[in-house]
Amino acid sequence: MIDVQVRIHDRFSVEFKIGYLVKKNLPVNDFMMNTWIFIPNSLDINPSTYTKNQFYNDVKSNIRLITPIYELDEMTDGKALPFIFLQGILRELEVEPTREHLTDYEYQIKMFCSITKSALRRETDRITNNIPNDEIKHTIARFIENITQINNRYREQCSFIKTANLPHEAEIYFAFGDEFLVNQLEYYIYRLLESLKNRYLSDYTQMEEMLMQLVKDGIAYKTTRGYQLVEKNSVDRNRSVVFRMRLLAKYAESHLFLDASKKKDGLMAEQVYYSAAAGISMIFATAIAFSFQQKYGNFTMPLFVALVVSYMLKDRIKELMRYYFVHRLAKKYFDNKTTISIKETLLGWIKEGIDFITDERVPEAIMEMRNRSDLLEADNRNTKEKIILYRKLVRIDGTALDESNQYDVSGVNDIVRFNVFSFIHKMDNPEVSLAVPAENGGYEMTEGERIYYINFLIQLRYDDNIDYKRYRLLVSRNGIEGIEKMQE
């Protein structure tokens, strides 16, 4: 199965989070994802102005394991694996304070933080979207109780580390996880309050008081531990706090990222085809030289002219054959191949390739989903939309993935961020002056917004299943204005 989630990452980037869910009993899990990007002709994006290298410069891909799924209620259970593994490695570290055990302890800290963050996110989303009004107060009280239990159980490590006289690094790793967790709790409480504000008006004040007490307790705890705090009137605009939060987030989830090695795909085949092109052109030139030599003899003017002409044609034939073979290669091979591994265990590979294509090469099902309006279709006859096909082929060894993890990892996430800054150079001003009738007669001026639509149509193939997704990105010269998931 392939799961796709799309969100705006920042002013100029859109993020596609693609989850490849594997069957663990299969050594070969193959997935294919084809994305057709429809770009307005007025943006002047074409093979001459936007090369493959530019496209790959605009695309940033992070490949990581899918975080093991635990609900917040499960995390409070004494039999929850994250706590069991954490306590187990602490005992081993006490008996044998070796570098290997210390590394394992750091890994369990990171895994615990990632799982807790994921559980927090899912629980806040569940409360926001699915809880009836008559159950909301009870749900919030349960949320606070669960968080308090998880925090207390995690912080029990601190006293154990000191009394057991463990290496100083163990205390440092604990503090990193501790600070990360309290920061994440604050973030999700504020996010939860923002979503509850307009939904549960009668009970909001009471819920806000309950949740804000948890925040205040967290701030008091951070003060005692010497962790950095957000200040309302910070001199440096909380620059150092934001920087540290970012570093802690990277640290806490670094164990999930896979080792990725990218190289050009089909390099050997390309050299073989290019050698064949050189050989064909040489055969042509040699045949011309031999035939003229036989007819006119050596050191004659006709032979001299024939050699010059054959040399000129040889180079052209060579380039034409190279061009032909390149396009043949594009159908069979990809631009890049990225091998992915964890702890030197090969998990699989990801191949990717892009090409500009015409309407005629787009599958009928995709063109139907594109569903151009009559006006756009009429305009497209003169100023055709440009279409980029971005192909991905993914292979994951489900058996190796299962054997290389203590936890139940369901698959791999490929987090792709696409930056649209290259697309905005030819855009017009986003503000448009418009006139409307005034209430007291005459007219008055108002403002309109000029945006451009970039359509992403995605085909997902796994096993015998084919799914389709369509997203429309709203872009102006100021950046990304929004994203819409269209009806499939």
Side-chain angles (χ1 to χ4, degrees):
M1 179 179 174
I2 308 177
D3 176 57
V4 179
Q5 300 175 34
V6 182
R7 71 181 184 95
I8 297 173
H9 178 258
D10 58 37
R11 184 178 170 189
F12 295 107
S13 298
V14 58
E15 178 181 285
F16 295 84
K17 187 176 182 181
I18 308 148
Y20 301 104
L21 308 179
V22 304
K23 295 178 180 177
K24 296 174 186 175
N25 59 333
L26 292 180
V28 176
N29 290 265
D30 284 338
F31 307 89
M32 181 176 286
M33 177 174 168
N34 295 319
T35 304
W36 289 265
I37 308 174
F38 291 80
I39 306 163
N41 181 72
S42 58
L43 301 187
D44 197 28
I45 300 294
N46 56 62
S48 300
T49 62
Y50 192 64
T51 64
K52 287 190 175 188
N53 287 337
Q54 286 175 288
F55 177 87
Y56 288 118
N57 284 336
D58 288 339
V59 172
K60 180 182 179 182
S61 181
N62 291 317
I63 304 166
R64 50 168 284 179
L65 299 174
I66 294 176
T67 306
I69 297 175
Y70 285 82
E71 300 304 327
L72 212 58
D73 285 338
E74 293 180 89
M75 294 292 290
T76 61
D77 187 346
K79 297 180 181 179
L81 283 181
F83 276 119
I84 290 176
F85 288 149
L86 199 52
Q87 292 166 353
I89 192 60
L90 266 176
R91 299 298 180 188
E92 292 180 20
L93 189 59
E94 181 186 20
V95 176
E96 292 184 73
T98 62
R99 172 55 57 182
E100 181 181 356
H101 285 153
L102 196 59
T103 301
D104 287 343
Y105 174 67
E106 183 181 25
Y107 168 78
Q108 294 300 342
I109 288 283
K110 292 178 178 180
M111 186 62 81
F112 181 88
C113 290
S114 301
I115 291 172
T116 304
K117 175 190 172 182
S118 178
L120 268 172
R121 183 183 65 247
R122 278 194 306 277
E123 184 65 11
T124 53
D125 289 344
R126 186 182 74 87
I127 294 172
T128 300
N129 299 320
N130 301 319
I131 304 301
N133 288 17
D134 57 346
E135 298 180 15
I136 187 63
K137 283 197 293 186
H138 170 74
T139 303
I140 292 296
R142 181 64 180 165
F143 174 80
I144 293 172
E145 182 183 346
N146 288 339
I147 288 299
T148 303
Q149 287 187 42
I150 293 170
N151 279 339
N152 291 340
R153 291 194 63 188
Y154 179 84
R155 292 167 186 171
E156 287 173 0
Q157 295 179 76
C158 187
S159 57
F160 178 82
I161 290 171
K162 290 179 178 178
T163 56
N165 198 27
L166 298 183
H168 180 61
E169 290 94 329
E171 189 172 353
I172 292 175
Y173 300 152
F174 162 80
F176 288 161
D178 191 33
E179 187 176 359
F180 171 79
L181 288 172
V182 73
N183 288 340
Q184 289 299 310
L185 177 58
E186 280 187 29
Y187 170 78
Y188 282 106
I189 286 178
Y190 289 134
R191 176 172 155 180
L192 183 58
L193 285 170
E194 191 65 26
S195 64
L196 296 176
K197 188 180 297 183
N198 298 319
R199 290 189 56 199
Y200 305 97
L201 299 178
S202 59
D203 298 318
Y204 177 75
T205 301
Q206 186 179 356
M207 291 187 294
E208 182 185 44
E209 185 178 341
M210 295 164 61
L211 289 168
M212 284 306 300
Q213 185 58 52
L214 195 58
V215 171
K216 291 173 183 176
D217 292 344
I219 292 173
Y221 176 76
K222 287 202 288 186
T223 302
T224 61
R225 293 284 303 174
Y227 301 154
Q228 290 186 338
L229 301 174
V230 177
E231 299 177 9
K232 182 178 180 181
N233 299 310
S234 170
V235 175
D236 67 352
R237 299 174 63 194
N238 292 297
R239 186 181 302 155
S240 58
V241 178
V242 173
F243 178 75
R244 185 169 178 82
M245 285 181 175
R246 184 165 169 265
L247 283 184
L248 285 170
K250 285 186 174 182
Y251 172 82
E253 299 189 343
S254 60
H255 64 293
L256 294 173
F257 288 90
L258 300 175
D259 297 324
S261 176
K262 182 183 288 191
K263 64 180 181 179
K264 187 176 177 61
D265 188 40
L267 187 60
M268 183 61 69
E270 180 183 70
Q271 296 306 313
V272 170
Y273 279 121
Y274 285 176
S275 298
I280 292 171
S281 65
M282 191 61 192
I283 290 172
F284 171 80
T286 304
I288 293 293
F290 281 177
S291 62
F292 271 75
Q293 191 176 31
Q294 277 187 330
K295 186 170 183 179
Y296 297 105
N298 295 325
F299 308 110
T300 61
M301 183 56 68
L303 178 61
F304 174 76
V305 172
L307 288 174
V308 172
V309 172
S310 66
Y311 182 81
M312 294 165 57
L313 293 176
K314 177 180 77 72
D315 277 357
R316 292 303 90 211
I317 291 173
K318 180 180 176 181
E319 290 305 313
L320 286 172
M321 293 302 297
R322 280 168 62 97
Y323 180 80
Y324 171 75
F325 286 142
V326 163
H327 282 74
R328 290 274 302 209
L329 281 170
K331 297 177 181 178
K332 185 176 180 181
Y333 296 95
F334 292 74
D335 298 326
N336 303 309
K337 179 180 179 180
T338 302
T339 55
I340 54 177
S341 56
I342 180 172
K343 299 178 182 178
E344 299 182 356
T345 300
L346 183 65
L347 296 183
W349 45 255
I350 298 176
K351 295 182 179 182
E352 60 182 349
I354 74 118
D355 290 286
F356 279 88
I357 63 173
T358 60
D359 284 10
E360 292 73 23
R361 291 180 57 192
V362 178
E364 184 178 345
I366 295 297
M367 292 305 296
E368 289 178 1
M369 285 183 64
R370 174 64 187 90
N371 191 26
R372 294 184 180 124
S373 66
D374 293 339
L375 179 59
L376 185 58
E377 193 65 61
D379 179 65
N380 201 54
R381 290 198 294 269
N382 301 315
T383 56
K384 288 187 177 295
E385 276 186 313
K386 297 301 182 291
I387 306 172
I388 293 177
L389 171 58
Y390 180 40
R391 301 176 294 144
K392 277 204 169 186
L393 182 62
V394 180
R395 175 167 293 177
I396 300 173
D397 186 335
T399 305
L401 179 65
D402 190 40
E403 292 175 352
S404 59
N405 287 281
Q406 286 181 302
Y407 289 89
D408 182 14
V409 176
S410 58
V412 172
N413 275 332
D414 185 11
I415 302 171
V416 180
R417 291 176 187 165
F418 182 56
N419 190 291
V420 300
F421 191 77
S422 300
F423 287 37
I424 69 174
H425 299 304
K426 302 292 177 69
M427 289 185 180
D428 293 329
N429 287 330
E431 297 84 15
V432 179
S433 295
L434 299 172
V436 295
E439 292 183 2
N440 300 323
Y443 69 95
E444 57 186 356
M445 302 303 296
T446 187
E447 288 197 352
E449 182 182 33
R450 180 185 284 111
I451 60 171
Y452 299 78
Y453 296 106
I454 299 175
N455 285 270
F456 293 81
L457 279 77
I458 303 173
Q459 180 193 64
L460 308 170
R461 301 172 68 101
Y462 52 95
D463 293 338
D464 296 325
N465 302 307
I466 301 179
D467 286 340
Y468 295 93
K469 307 284 183 183
R470 181 187 172 190
Y471 300 92
R472 187 165 71 171
L473 200 62
L474 285 63
V475 186
S476 75
R477 205 162 72 181
N478 292 328
I480 298 174
E481 304 292 348
I483 187 166
E484 300 172 346
K485 183 176 181 181
M486 311 299 288
Q487 189 67 34
E488 298 163 19

